[in-house]
Amino acid sequence: MPNYKKFDSPDRSDRPGRSDRSDRPGRSGGDAPRKPSLLHEIRDLDERLISMISRRNTLMGKAASKRKLKGLPLADPDMERRIFEIWTTKSADEKFNLKAARRVFEQLNTLAYTCVAKPENRNLPSYSLSPPRRPVKVTIDGPCSLFQSQLWIALAAMCSADAKMSPLSVNDQLTELAKAFNQAGAHISWENDTIESRSGEGVFFEDKLVFAGDDEMTLYLILAFGLKSPGKFKIAGGPILKQYDSRQLTSLLSPLGARLNTLDLQSHGLPARLECGGNMVSSLTLTEETPPKFAAALTLAGWTYPQGMNLKFDKNWAGISEIRDAVEVLNTCGIKAVLTETECTVPFSNSFSFPEQPNIALDPELSAALLSIPAFAGGNVTIKGTWPKNSPKAKDALKALTLGGLVVKVSDTEISSTKGEQPQSVNIDFGEASKLFPIGIALAVNSGTQCSLQGIKDVTLFEQGIELLERLGLQYARTEDGVQITPGRLEWEDAWTAPTPYFGIALGLMAWIRPGLSLLNPGDITELWPRYWTLYNSLPEIDGLKDPEVKELNDDAKSNRRRIKID
């Protein structure tokens, strides 16, 4: 390559009428210092800002860790209130918008608490994915539907039932739900994949403080069952629910004779106080803004209301699937709830028949993600459990697997999959099973042919999929209702933080095509299903999954410790 020299301007010192100005004060010719650009000033400020945020995270994390060891919530509302006082003062001095400053404050706190709540998200080595490239032979139990498990646990608590629920995917969401109802008087315990309910005096929320954790469904169930009698009680939550916008519930709680008052005037999330007057309507109209899971929670709690509950909605309303799950649970317990295309009716009831061991269906989306393994590795995967055949989500999940090149067989006690013929074209509409979009990307890459993925209604989820395609170096084109993908050689550089557990599972599937794909947050998949990595790391042949044994020191081992005498 030619060695180009910098162009020098001609020397003008010997021009007529020009004098040497190099001796003038404050002038140094071409060596004069230049003022830093706006970009460099901002970069310097951000560098210092990041350093200060890191220090703040450390200090907030220390306080949160001490509270965690005591079994208390990570957040201390009183400490946060006192810290925010300086934000209130300085926001006025610096002419910041106070509401915007509050959101920044909450995000900073969440950043600090996340490192304590999820230690795997710290700067740890990435998790390299390199599964054995041999046909699989897998037979396992579960995983059961997380949503249905939440419904059954809450109902068992409210019924004070003697029951055992197993095998469940016992993760943080389920244990936080159990703890929340235990704080109100329930008797729920868990061990490995089993959650057990024991009879007691009953659940009463009045004048209590209940910690809802970080899952919206736990909050919805607490609110729904808390409406059944007049009174008031407080609800606290973790970093995520502290940022929850409760305003979407106001129009629903008001006709039910209740209101949710946030205790922090600068926030619409938790902590909050639910005040119930007892004057409830017997019929409620749901809108597009109504959270589907809150509608399901109202359905599940409807039998405890003095006049029962009648929910009305438009045909093909988005939350019918969730309401249907709640109705099936109630009907199994002898509570005659009725669901039509535009209405759900739950009568008041004093009697119920809670089964000793409820039959909880498989989770259609998570099970489908596991059933997709043979498309990449070959072999067979069999999952024991009840496949929810009538669920629209389950039907869409099966369609996605079939179009992705799998042969799926369903019986009353299990569902299995094997690799079929290589598909000539893949055109998947995910419908209700939108969480499988990342799995669809993996199946599209594996097909070796141009594919079309449609029906992704969640804009955020869709954009996350586009980000993955770009990281993989794949050609794609946005379409009116989805994305068209042209498979090719996969590229990969740095480790990736999967935005949802299903993206992490999809990366694990594509590791059969390109070993060495790396993940920064494998713990997020563990939170969804604690046994996932046990399954993945035990391939290719598995006959039942067992929880890792916890080795405890026995008395003999303790007695063998060396004693050092100090004079």
Side-chain angles (χ1 to χ4, degrees), residues 317-379:
W317 180 67
I320 293 179
S321 178
E322 284 79 2
I323 290 180
R324 182 181 292 107
D325 282 347
V327 168
E328 289 178 358
V329 171
L330 292 175
N331 288 341
T332 304
C333 295
I335 299 171
K336 298 180 180 179
V338 178
L339 176 65
T340 67
E341 291 183 341
T342 59
E343 194 172 0
C344 177
T345 303
V346 183
F348 169 77
S349 179
N350 276 322
S351 61
F352 52 85
S353 55
F354 200 96
E356 291 184 4
Q357 187 157 358
N359 181 22
I360 302 177
L362 295 172
D363 187 294
E365 289 167 309
L366 181 53
S367 296
L370 303 178
L371 290 167
S372 64
I373 291 175
F376 301 83

Side-chain angles (χ1 to χ4, degrees), residues 50-65 107-116:
I50 291 170
S51 178
M52 288 188 286
I53 290 174
S54 177
R55 176 61 178 160
R56 186 183 190 276
N57 285 350
T58 301
L59 296 175
M60 293 289 287
K62 284 182 180 179
S65 295
Q107 290 290 345
L108 286 173
N109 292 343
T110 300
L111 193 64
Y113 297 144
T114 298
C115 292
V116 178

Side-chain angles (χ1 to χ4, degrees), residues 161-225:
D162 286 311
K164 182 181 293 185
M165 290 159 276
S166 177
L168 301 185
S169 303
V170 181
N171 57 12
D172 287 347
Q173 290 167 289
L174 295 188
T175 56
E176 286 179 348
L177 173 63
K179 290 176 184 177
F181 277 88
N182 283 347
Q183 290 166 3
H187 298 278
I188 301 174
S189 60
W190 58 91
E191 184 177 1
N192 297 331
D193 63 352
T194 301
I195 288 185
E196 189 171 355
S197 170
R198 291 181 289 109
S199 59
E201 296 180 358
V203 173
F204 301 95
F205 291 99
E206 188 174 357
D207 294 329
K208 292 181 179 177
L209 171 62
V210 180
F211 183 72
D214 266 323
D215 185 50
E216 289 181 0
M217 190 58 190
T218 299
L219 171 63
Y220 294 153
L221 289 166
I222 292 170
L223 292 174
F225 282 107

